[in-house]
Amino acid sequence: MIYLDNASTTFVCDEAKEQILNALQNYFGNPSSLHSFGLKARNELKKSRKDLSKALGCEEREIIFTSCATESINTVLKGFFQIYPRANKRILTSKIEHNATLKTCNYLKEAGIETDFVGLTPDGLICEDELIQKLKLLPGLISLMHVNNETGAITDIKRIASLRDEFSPESFIHIDAAQSLGKLPINTKEMGINYLSASSHKLHGPKGVGVLFVNKNAKIIPLLHGGGQEDSYRSGTENTPCIFGFSAAMRVAHTSLEENLKRVNEIRDTFLDSLIKNAVKFQINSPELSSPYILNISFFKVKAEVLVHILEREEIYISTGSACSDKKKGNNRILVEMGLKKDRIESSVRISFSRYTTKEDVIKAAAIIKNAVLKF
Ligand code: PLP
């Protein structure tokens, strides 16, 4: 089996599994309990918070555990205007955001919050001139993804923050880092951002746990009220087994981040070289500035959905696009937004690698793709 759909989710790594089992067996206490079982769980929770704060370059008190990136994103977008009522009721975002952002923005329209979209350059990156014009209509909230889940396009967050400082210094920045945490270097302080959202299951941690970074100088109104866990930012007994699993996966990802990035770059190049050696005709849809973990590619005259099913029969798993979007057949809105032609969009697939993908995997996948493509 060759799994190349890591942008939708990843398997749970051994280190995370071990911590999950350990938590189920030995740390089952409620971290809010006063007795020793509570204390044991509380101490472990503190260690997990430390791991996440190290990975994000922030303080432990700036880390809030949630159930997923979607919850973190919802918390920021819905909570921001309640805590900062004097901000213009505007969210500045882009049309290539994940639905967790776009649908929350749609919902917020009812509450009188307008969404403004920054357009893209022809190579799929945020258009800076337009961003500057729109920043002048704020202060409010800027919410952008770090890495696009369909194409891997990278947004230069430091640059966004410096434009914010110049043209709209009172605005706040929220980053959707679901596809970059544990894959690209992130330092919330150096990036100059106020909020960040991500999920554990994209970096070989378990599902059911996410993170929300809230800068100590920023605030947020919680989505969930109750027992006051997570410094009252997110009530509900913490999902300790999954949080411990998340932090174990994060530790592995963070300690070898640069090494993995280099290796995954090589894996992507090996895959493309193997396609060329096999005389497979393709066009790369991912922009030049993109994460090597995500490759969006069109195979000439090949229907993407059919290709996905042919490969599945050979136990190779790729995707026609985001598994968690409600994208209609052949209508990948990100590629449409980039202005690609219909044929090219209909033949586009997303191949996404992980730190565990091997050269042998991608060489074999390329050979099987060659045979599949010959059938069209
Ligand atoms: N943002 C991006 C860029 C994503 O790729 C995803 C999931 O694919 C999400 C947000 C939502 O993550 P989750 O489903 O874990 O909440």
Side-chain angles (χ1 to χ4, degrees):
M1 192 268 272
I2 301 175
Y3 184 77
L4 298 173
D5 193 18
N6 292 284
S8 67
T9 197
T10 55
F11 67 83
V12 178
C13 65
D14 290 345
E15 292 83 351
K17 272 188 216 156
E18 196 181 308
Q19 283 311 310
I20 295 167
L21 281 178
N22 191 20
L24 292 172
Q25 282 163 1
N26 304 315
Y27 296 99
F28 62 86
N30 186 325
S32 300
S33 294
L34 289 180
H35 51 65
S36 58
F37 278 113
L39 181 65
K40 268 175 83 175
R42 199 153 58 247
N43 285 340
E44 286 304 300
L45 187 58
K46 194 168 160 46
K47 285 188 204 158
S48 295
R49 208 179 300 285
K50 194 169 184 177
D51 285 333
L52 265 295
S53 70
K54 261 193 194 164
L56 289 172
C58 67
E59 296 179 23
E60 285 166 51
R61 64 178 160 147
E62 296 175 313
I63 294 291
I64 299 159
F65 287 111
T66 62
S67 65
C68 57
T70 301
E71 184 194 323
S72 303
I73 293 169
N74 268 262
T75 305
V76 176
L77 301 192
K78 291 176 181 167
F80 178 80
F81 293 97
Q82 290 177 47
I83 198 96
Y84 296 110
R86 289 220 300 277
N88 287 352
K89 298 228 174 295
R90 278 185 112 80
I91 298 178
L92 181 53
T93 186
S94 81
K95 285 190 183 157
I96 59 163
E97 298 303 305
H98 189 271
N99 273 337
T101 296
L102 294 183
K103 297 222 165 164
T104 308
C105 287
N106 284 348
Y107 166 82
L108 287 170
K109 215 170 170 189
E110 301 290 310
I113 291 154
E114 289 301 320
T115 309
D116 214 349
F117 298 98
V118 194
L120 299 185
T121 59
D123 47 356
L125 303 175
I126 297 291
C127 176
E128 217 175 279
D129 291 344
E130 205 180 320
L131 178 76
I132 292 171
Q133 291 316 314
K134 299 205 160 166
L135 278 175
K136 292 177 184 165
L137 301 172
L138 301 178
L141 181 64
I142 303 156
S143 185
L144 293 169
M145 62 198 338
H146 189 192
V147 167
N148 181 269
N149 49 301
E150 301 280 355
T151 64
I154 299 176
T155 297
D156 181 348
I157 303 301
K158 269 197 202 167
R159 177 78 188 140
I160 301 282
S162 80
L163 292 173
R164 181 269 315 264
D165 294 346
E166 191 174 348
F167 297 101
S168 184
E170 286 173 54
S171 288
F172 286 71
I173 300 180
H174 166 245
I175 295 306
D176 173 356
Q179 296 293 348
S180 58
L181 183 65
K183 294 169 190 165
L184 300 190
I186 291 182
N187 185 307
T188 53
K189 231 180 239 137
E190 285 173 11
M191 283 173 154
I193 60 175
N194 308 96
Y195 307 103
L196 176 144
S197 299
S199 265
S200 142
H201 71 99
K202 307 282 189 190
L203 53 102
H204 296 282
K207 292 169 185 60
V209 57
V211 66
L212 169 61
F213 155 79
V214 178
N215 174 261
K216 64 174 184 256
N217 300 319
K219 290 182 189 143
I220 203 71
I221 292 278
L223 204 57
L224 303 182
H225 296 87
Q229 288 87 349
E230 297 294 295
D231 212 8
S232 288
Y233 276 127
R234 203 272 184 183
S235 285
T237 302
E238 289 93 345
N239 178 358
T240 43
C242 289
I243 291 174
F244 302 166
F246 181 15
S247 77
M250 187 74 255
R251 249 189 332 264
V252 177
H254 185 61
T255 44
S256 48
L257 192 125
E258 294 293 346
E259 194 184 303
N260 289 337
L261 191 54
K262 192 166 162 267
R263 222 179 54 77
V264 172
N265 240 313
E266 285 166 11
I267 295 281
R268 181 186 188 270
D269 289 349
T270 303
F271 177 64
L272 293 172
D273 286 349
S274 305
L275 288 176
I276 293 167
K277 278 188 196 138
N278 281 299
V280 178
K281 283 192 190 159
F282 63 85
Q283 284 173 299
I284 296 175
N285 304 319
S286 296
E288 190 92 359
L289 182 62
S290 59
S291 161
Y293 284 85
I294 299 179
L295 174 67
N296 196 300
I297 187 168
S298 293
F299 293 106
F300 196 60
K301 291 195 173 156
V302 168
K303 282 265 177 276
E305 291 210 353
V306 181
L307 179 64
V308 168
H309 291 306
I310 294 176
L311 294 182
E312 189 185 357
R313 289 203 286 274
E314 304 284 341
E315 294 196 17
I316 295 185
Y317 300 93
I318 64 165
S319 162
T320 54
S322 166
C324 36
S325 80
D326 62 357
K327 151 188 74 67
K328 293 193 181 70
K329 262 191 188 174
N331 182 20
N332 180 318
R333 64 181 167 81
I334 316 291
L335 301 186
V336 170
E337 211 49 51
M338 283 169 68
L340 299 194
K341 293 223 170 76
K342 193 166 174 269
D343 281 8
R344 187 161 164 187
I345 294 175
E346 284 179 356
S347 62
S348 69
V349 290
R350 181 184 68 182
I351 294 174
S352 45
F353 309 107
S354 110
R355 60 181 188 253
Y356 298 108
T357 309
T358 64
K359 282 197 176 167
E360 292 69 36
D361 286 341
V362 296
I363 290 170
K364 189 167 172 203
I368 293 174
I369 288 172
K370 176 202 163 183
N371 292 334
V373 163
L374 284 177
K375 295 188 178 139
F376 287 85

